[in-house]
């Protein structure tokens, strides 16, 4: 399980409602959606997100993600305010998360995504954001599990009984004088 899958699992807890595979799909969908959002001209990339956050009093929070220090957390309400409720809802629907769950999941993933996109505090150009984002998604993708062998039922016939045949009746032999095990085995 990748870092983003673990973070999503912690953010959603039992509300995620799915196994690790489902969580991996959700985090991948959210990350792809966030990368697409950053690429929109209206958003203006990471720089635009940073400027938008300044206007909403969230500049220190977003700056901590871009900088080299510890990432400050953001609440689901602040994420909805920063990105807009429609974007949050659309991202959540694409990942199979509704309402507050979507905002909570994005609040957990966005700081780490921005941090990974801005190594050493350098904001990349818009074209680089998508490239780095794809690299992050590839590095976080779970390794392919080895293929499990499939059961082969090709020799199964219709109408066959699944009940085992009863064992044959045991044979008895009375040992006589001069018998040995090899003699008895040869006779039987």
């Amino acid at each position: 399980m990748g870092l983003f899958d673990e973070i999503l699992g912690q953010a959603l807890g039992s509300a995620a409602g799915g196994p690790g595979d489902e969580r991996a799909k959700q985090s991948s969908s959210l990350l792809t959606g966030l990368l697409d959002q950053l690429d929109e001209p209206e958003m203006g990339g990471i720089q635009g997100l940073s400027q938008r956050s300044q206007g909403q009093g969230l500049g220190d929070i977003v700056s901590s993600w871009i900088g080299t220090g510890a990432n400050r957390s953001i609440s689901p309400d602040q994420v909805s305010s920063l990105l807009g409720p429609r974007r949050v809802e659309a991202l959540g629907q694409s990942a199979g998360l509704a309402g507050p769950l979507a905002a909570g999941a994005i609040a957990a993933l966005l700081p780490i995504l921005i941090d990974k996109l801005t190594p050493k505090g350098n904001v990349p150009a818009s074209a680089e954001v998508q490239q780095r984002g794809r690299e992050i998604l590839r590095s976080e993708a779970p390794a392919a599990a080895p293929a499990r062998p499939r059961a082969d039922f090709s020799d199964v016939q219709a109408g066959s009984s699944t009940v085992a045949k009863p064992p044959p009746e045991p044979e008895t032999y009375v040992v006589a004088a001069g018998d040995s095990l090899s003699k008895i085995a040869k006779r039987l």
Side-chain angles (χ1 to χ4, degrees), residues 45-55 58-59 62-63 66 82:
I46 295 173
Q47 198 64 39
L49 182 69
S50 179
Q51 290 171 354
R52 178 182 281 210
S53 70
Q54 296 292 336
L58 303 172
V62 175
S63 294
I66 297 170
L82 181 62

Side-chain angles (χ1 to χ4, degrees), residues 104-160:
I106 294 168
L109 295 176
L110 186 61
I112 289 101
L113 177 63
I114 299 297
D115 185 57
K116 285 186 171 280
L117 289 171
T118 57
K120 300 178 185 172
N122 299 323
V123 177
S126 293
E128 249 184 285
V129 169
Q130 287 298 317
Q131 180 183 356
R132 283 190 188 171
R134 284 190 298 272
E135 289 170 5
I136 290 168
L137 287 173
R138 273 193 303 272
S139 70
E140 288 295 319
R148 292 188 347 190
R150 300 266 185 212
D152 180 16
F153 297 106
S154 61
D155 62 342
V156 175
Q157 297 176 1
S160 296

Side-chain angles (χ1 to χ4, degrees), residues 4 8 12 24 35 41 47 66 78-80 87 100-101 109 134 142 157 164-165 170 177 181 184-185 187:
F4 289 104
L8 182 64
L12 299 179
L35 288 168
Q47 198 64 39
I66 297 170
Q78 291 170 322
V79 162
S80 291
R87 281 191 180 106
L101 285 179
L109 295 176
R134 284 190 298 272
Q157 297 176 1
K165 294 179 183 176
L181 287 178
I184 296 171
R187 280 188 216 146

